[in-house]
Amino acid sequence: QVQLVESGGGLVQPGGSLRLSCAASGSILSISAMGWYRQAPGKQRELVARFIVGGRIDYADSVKGRFTISRDHAKNTVYLQMNSLKPEDTAVYYCNLDARLISRSRGDYWGQGTQITVSS
């Protein structure tokens, strides 16, 4: 009843930029939070940036000033503009949705993940 379609990502040189998109579709009644997490090899999955109901935005300290999350509410889509990319940003990035669906209780939903590699 819900799909998260991620796009963007790929290989970029240090200092470069990329933009990720995540479009949610399905029988969504309400969204409590939506954003991006990432997981690097050998590390735990961590928050990158997210919108929370009421308008609050959370960023990981490591990306503040470099990454910007934005949204298109009408399309249930979030974007992550990543500037000044560093090798340590290399990870699989996952779109996350915390939402209540029309026919289900509130739950957590994940995209398939997209690889970001920052390397020369």
Side-chain angles (χ1 to χ4, degrees), residues 14-49:
S17 298
L18 288 171
R19 191 177 81 152
L20 301 180
S21 299
C22 177
S25 62
S27 302
I28 300 171
L29 182 62
S30 62
I31 296 175
S32 296
M34 190 173 182
W36 295 91
Y37 290 70
R38 68 185 181 187
Q39 187 167 20
K43 296 185 178 181
Q44 297 290 104
R45 188 173 298 187
E46 64 177 354
L47 172 71
V48 178

Side-chain angles (χ1 to χ4, degrees), residues 37-89:
Y37 290 70
R38 68 185 181 187
Q39 187 167 20
K43 296 185 178 181
Q44 297 290 104
R45 188 173 298 187
E46 64 177 354
L47 172 71
V48 178
R50 65 178 177 177
F51 285 104
I52 299 175
V53 64
R56 180 160 61 90
I57 301 173
D58 287 342
Y59 288 100
D61 288 341
S62 60
V63 308
K64 288 181 178 178
R66 300 188 298 120
F67 292 10
T68 303
I69 189 169
S70 59
R71 62 183 172 183
D72 184 334
H73 182 73
K75 297 181 179 179
N76 284 335
T77 299
V78 294
Y79 307 91
L80 186 67
Q81 179 66 45
M82 301 180 289
N83 298 327
S84 301
L85 283 160
K86 304 174 180 179
E88 50 263 46
D89 295 318

Side-chain angles (χ1 to χ4, degrees), residues 1-5 23-31 76 97-110:
Q1 291 296 305
V2 64
Q3 299 83 40
L4 297 174
V5 180
S25 62
S27 302
I28 300 171
L29 182 62
S30 62
I31 296 175
N76 284 335
L97 174 69
D98 179 3
R100 176 182 291 183
L101 306 186
I102 292 176
S103 60
R104 303 180 186 179
S105 299
R106 176 177 167 181
D108 230 15
Y109 304 91
W110 295 90

